[in-house]
Amino acid sequence: MKVVFDYLNEYANDVDFNGQSHLIFEIPIEENIVVYAKISNQEALKARAIGSSSYSVSANTTYNYTLTLNNIVGTGDTTVYTVNYTTGDPVSSGKDAYRLTVNKVSIKGTAPSGYSLGNNDTCIGNTNGNLIVDTGGYIKYTRVLWADKTVNFNKVSLGSVVGSKVVVDYSYDVN
């Protein structure tokens, strides 16, 4: 093992990961013996983001909220998270905050070079039909020799507030 660590100390300390989540080194130990060492890029393993935005809405209308993420897996990828929802009647007379019903959540992606699209799944929280509705999901990008990457939409929360507004709070990470 000393040979492996000496090799990595010499060649891997200042290596440029070039946006990759990890690199694999082929380390010659003896004649006809090679050890493969996988070094992870700790900075690329967990990319996280949290954001918020608000939109004007009207009662009894259907809308689409779309969050588009570009180049978060590699170069040239696009991930699109879409929530189709309907506003209801005002919660109480004279108030312009509406019950929200999420009809559908979808995640679509365009994989970067070297990756292909894997599984994806979405969910709608059990608060559907209330002032605040939580959604979430994930999409996986797969790669044959390198690590797969998954974009997790931990929480995309839609909340109706007085003033005929819907506030969307979201968080996602890539690992």
Side-chain angles (χ1 to χ4, degrees):
M1 291 306 289
K2 182 177 179 341
V3 172
V4 171
F5 288 115
D6 289 345
Y7 183 93
L8 292 173
N9 281 335
E10 183 173 345
Y11 295 102
N13 275 336
D14 296 317
V15 70
D16 182 1
F17 281 86
N18 225 6
Q20 298 295 318
S21 64
H22 65 271
L23 297 174
I24 297 176
F25 289 87
E26 294 180 25
I27 304 169
I29 303 298
E30 294 178 11
E31 188 174 322
N32 298 325
I33 299 176
V34 175
V35 171
Y36 294 90
K38 178 178 170 182
I39 306 298
S40 295
N41 179 352
Q42 297 300 311
E43 290 181 34
L45 285 178
K46 281 274 192 188
R48 292 188 177 131
I50 297 172
S52 183
S53 51
S54 66
Y55 303 92
S56 295
V57 294
S58 299
N60 301 308
T61 307
T62 299
Y63 297 92
N64 283 316
Y65 166 76
T66 301
L67 175 61
T68 302
L69 308 173
N70 293 304
N71 300 319
I72 61 168
V73 172
T75 301
D77 62 275
T78 300
T79 302
V80 179
Y81 185 95
T82 303
V83 179
N84 175 273
Y85 67 96
T86 302
T87 58
D89 290 324
V91 174
S92 62
S93 179
K95 302 287 183 187
D96 51 0
Y98 313 105
R99 294 194 188 283
L100 302 175
T101 300
V102 173
N103 305 310
K104 182 179 178 183
V105 178
S106 65
I107 304 174
K108 295 181 180 173
T110 303
S113 178
Y115 285 86
S116 60
L117 289 175
N119 298 334
N120 74 67
D121 196 15
T122 62
C123 64
I124 300 170
N126 60 6
T127 57
N128 211 10
N130 289 319
L131 290 174
I132 299 172
V133 179
D134 296 330
T135 68
Y138 74 90
I139 186 168
K140 183 176 272 193
Y141 294 91
T142 61
R143 198 163 180 186
V144 175
L145 296 175
W146 301 90
D148 295 345
K149 291 205 176 181
T150 302
V151 180
N152 295 298
F153 292 90
N154 304 315
K155 189 174 187 182
V156 178
S157 179
L158 286 77
S160 181
V161 297
V162 172
S164 295
K165 298 270 187 199
V166 166
V167 176
V168 181
D169 295 321
Y170 63 85
S171 68
Y172 66 87
D173 62 52
V174 181
N175 57 21

